[in-house]
């Protein structure tokens, strides 16, 4: 089967020789080099990239596409930082909020018992500390002991742990004891300090982001990783970002999924930059799937790109559609995404996946299948 596949590429005379060489490596299950990743971005035609990405997807996940029943809590949008791409914080949003603990618990109470995960992330509030979040996690766990708590991006963690003057390990242990189960992938943006200086100068550095995730992984706390693309970065920056993640994954293996996040240009300081095309978005999924050979899952985050494009991404290496969300996130609606009230029923999710000729699998937060 694989040799037939390889032959297909070799026979396609339109494919330049260096790309054929990369195709042979991918089909043979070999890792590609950073310069080969850049070449895929620069020279790879979309159909060619899709075939390679799909080869990797099938090898890792057969025909399964995962989803979860989940909801978000965004505690506040009052932020000490002022990232230039951000449309969510109080600096740019038309709304400013700071939920009380009781309001957040009410959101937890309002979810039905089949919901498996809460995703908690928001802005870096100047007055909130690790003790506040520890109390919040404890209260959520006592209400719903079965709920997986994925909470606090590395950017939020860095702020509250530094404020408490303790080590990352001590901080994570403290939160883990209160109910923290895993860490979301936000705040990674692009691992390049010059770019960060331009777009998010005051937030956690690349090094800090990676150190927090690696500390968590050493403790058995898994996480995800994101990449914000389509602003002022180039392909070299994207591949550098993914190389650092791939190396980290080789060391500790704690990342579950990679989540490319498309820059949206409404209501922020980078509004003059055009958004990427659909071709660029699909190319980005495909190259990520090919390059990150040690990441088990690639997520098409539908509240960001919309349901139709998330469905399309299933033909470009994506095997995870995130979750039902239940209209509980505003991060991308505030940035102009088409999903202004992101909500998906389980049957809609399943039919969207089936329509793409994939097998829908409901999962828990650690990708254990819960049934079809
Ligand atoms: S991206 Fe996060 S850290 Fe940056 S301003 Fe927005 S909410 Fe704050």
């Amino acid at each position: 089967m694989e040799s037939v596949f390889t032959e297909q590429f070799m026979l396609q005379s339109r494919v330049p020789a260096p790309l054929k060489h990369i195709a042979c490596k991918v089909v043979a299950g070999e890792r590609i080099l950073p310069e080969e990743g850049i070449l895929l971005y620069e020279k790879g035609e979309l159909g060619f990239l899709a075939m390679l990405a799909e080869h990797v997807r099938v090898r890792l996940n057969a025909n399964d596409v995962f989803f979860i029943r989940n909801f978000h809590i965004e505690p506040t949008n009052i932020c000490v930082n002022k990232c230039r791409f951000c449309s969510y914080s109080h600096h740019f949003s038309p709304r400013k909020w700071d939920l009380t603990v009781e309001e957040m618990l009410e959101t937890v109470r309002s979810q039905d018992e089949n919901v498996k995960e809460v995703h908690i992330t928001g802005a870096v509030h100047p007055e909130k500390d690790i003790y506040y979040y520890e109390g919040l996690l404890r209260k959520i766990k006592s209400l719903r002991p079965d709920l997986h708590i994925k909470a606090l991006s590395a950017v939020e963690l860095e702020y509250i742990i530094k404020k408490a003057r303790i080590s990352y390990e001590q901080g994570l242990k403290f939160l883990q004891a209160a109910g923290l189960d895993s860490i979301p992938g936000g705040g990674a943006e692009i691992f390049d300090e010059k770019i960060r200086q331009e777009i998010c100068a005051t937030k956690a550095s690349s090094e800090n982001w990676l150190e927090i995730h690696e500390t968590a992984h050493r403790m058995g706390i898994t996480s995800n990783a994101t990449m914000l693309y389509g602003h002022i970065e180039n392909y070299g920056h994207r591949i550098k970002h993914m190389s650092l993640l791939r190396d980290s994954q080789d060391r500790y293996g704690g990342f579950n999924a990679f989540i490319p996040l498309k820059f949206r240009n409404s209501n922020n300081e980078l509004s003059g930059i055009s958004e990427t095309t659909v071709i660029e978005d699909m190319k980005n999924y495909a190259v990520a799937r090919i390059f990150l050979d040690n990441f088990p899952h690639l997520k098409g985050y539908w509240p960001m790109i919309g349901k139709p494009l998330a469905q399309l991404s299933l033909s470009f290496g994506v095997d995870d559609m995130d979750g039902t969300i239940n209209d509980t996130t505003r991060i991308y609606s505030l940035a102009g995404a088409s999903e202004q009230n992101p909500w998906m029923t389980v049957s809609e999710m399943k039919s969207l996946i089936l329509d793409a000729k994939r097998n829908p699998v409901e999962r828990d937060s650690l990708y254990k299948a819960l049934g079809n």
Side-chain angles (χ1 to χ4, degrees), residues 150-214:
K150 180 166 70 177
L152 301 171
S153 71
V155 173
E156 293 160 284
L157 286 168
E158 197 239 9
Y159 185 80
I160 59 174
I161 292 175
K162 269 201 180 145
K163 198 174 187 177
R165 296 174 188 273
I166 54 179
S167 68
Y168 290 152
E169 187 173 344
Q170 288 168 324
L172 287 168
K173 271 195 181 140
F174 185 59
L175 294 169
Q176 188 181 31
L180 179 76
D181 293 304
S182 66
I183 297 176
E189 322 314 356
I190 282 280
F191 296 147
D192 179 274
E193 290 320 301
K194 274 196 191 144
I195 297 273
R196 292 178 96 78
Q197 202 54 40
E198 285 290 314
I199 65 170
C200 54
T202 55
K203 82 197 304 183
S205 66
S206 320
E207 203 183 324
N208 290 341
W209 191 100
L210 283 162
E211 198 185 331
I212 288 171
H213 281 256
E214 290 194 351

Side-chain angles (χ1 to χ4, degrees), residues 76-92 122-124 153 155-156 187 189 199-200 202-203:
T76 182
N77 74 337
I78 299 171
C79 197
V80 296
N81 296 314
K82 199 175 177 187
C83 304
R84 296 180 66 209
F85 57 80
C86 179
S87 320
Y88 167 85
S89 80
H90 76 287
H91 303 292
F92 299 107
V124 184
S153 71
V155 173
E156 293 160 284
E189 322 314 356
I199 65 170
C200 54
T202 55
K203 82 197 304 183

